[in-house]
Amino acid sequence: KIFLTQERDDARYFRHGMMYVEPQHGEVHWFQANFDETQYCISGMMRVRAQDRGGREVVLEIGPGEVLYLPAGFNYTMEPTGQESRLLFTSGPSPRPGIVEQKAYSKQLRSLRGQGMEK
């Protein structure tokens, strides 16, 4: 589960969010073409496999209180760690508002603004 400030607050330069990660989640793959990202581990741990264009790989892990920097231009895979984890992230520069590839999902997120945030 991910909460993105860009979807909620129309961030112009950076996106900030919180990730709630289940212990045995499936692998998450992405190519980070045009933005850099930092991950701050609140609890649990995060394991990411990074691969460059030449196919070289490295596995990166962080635990509570540690920060991971993920620069643009790499293929990433977030792997399960067997631990429930909480992470804060920031990425930038931010693309235009909305998840471009997922227009229906982006529209759904915008429609939920303010719901359940009264506490």
Side-chain angles (χ1 to χ4, degrees):
K1 300 174 189 173
I2 299 175
F3 170 75
L4 291 175
T5 57
Q6 181 176 12
E7 293 297 335
R8 183 169 172 76
D9 303 320
D10 295 326
R12 291 177 34 202
Y13 303 108
F14 297 98
R15 289 174 295 195
H16 308 284
M18 181 165 225
M19 271 197 303
Y20 305 91
V21 184
E22 294 297 323
Q24 298 302 327
H25 65 83
E27 289 188 344
V28 179
H29 307 280
W30 73 97
F31 175 64
Q32 199 154 297
N34 56 2
F35 62 91
D36 294 341
E37 181 175 337
T38 59
Q39 294 278 352
Y40 174 79
C41 185
I42 298 169
S43 65
M45 73 180 294
M46 180 182 200
R47 179 180 302 125
V48 175
R49 188 169 12 108
Q51 183 181 61
D52 68 12
R53 288 184 189 178
R56 293 175 294 203
E57 286 189 352
V58 63
V59 175
L60 308 163
E61 290 183 346
I62 57 171
E66 296 179 318
V67 174
L68 179 61
Y69 172 64
L70 303 172
F74 290 83
N75 285 298
Y76 293 105
T77 301
M78 186 170 70
E79 300 177 337
T81 64
Q83 298 181 36
E84 184 174 289
S85 304
R86 301 292 177 258
L87 303 143
L88 293 174
F89 68 89
T90 298
S91 64
S94 194
R96 63 189 172 100
I99 299 173
V100 178
E101 305 84 25
Q102 301 292 327
K103 293 180 190 243
Y105 181 60
S106 182
K107 184 177 179 181
Q108 177 187 7
L109 289 176
R110 285 193 299 274
S111 74
L112 295 172
R113 289 182 182 177
Q115 293 183 22
M117 301 300 289
E118 294 81 23
K119 295 180 182 178

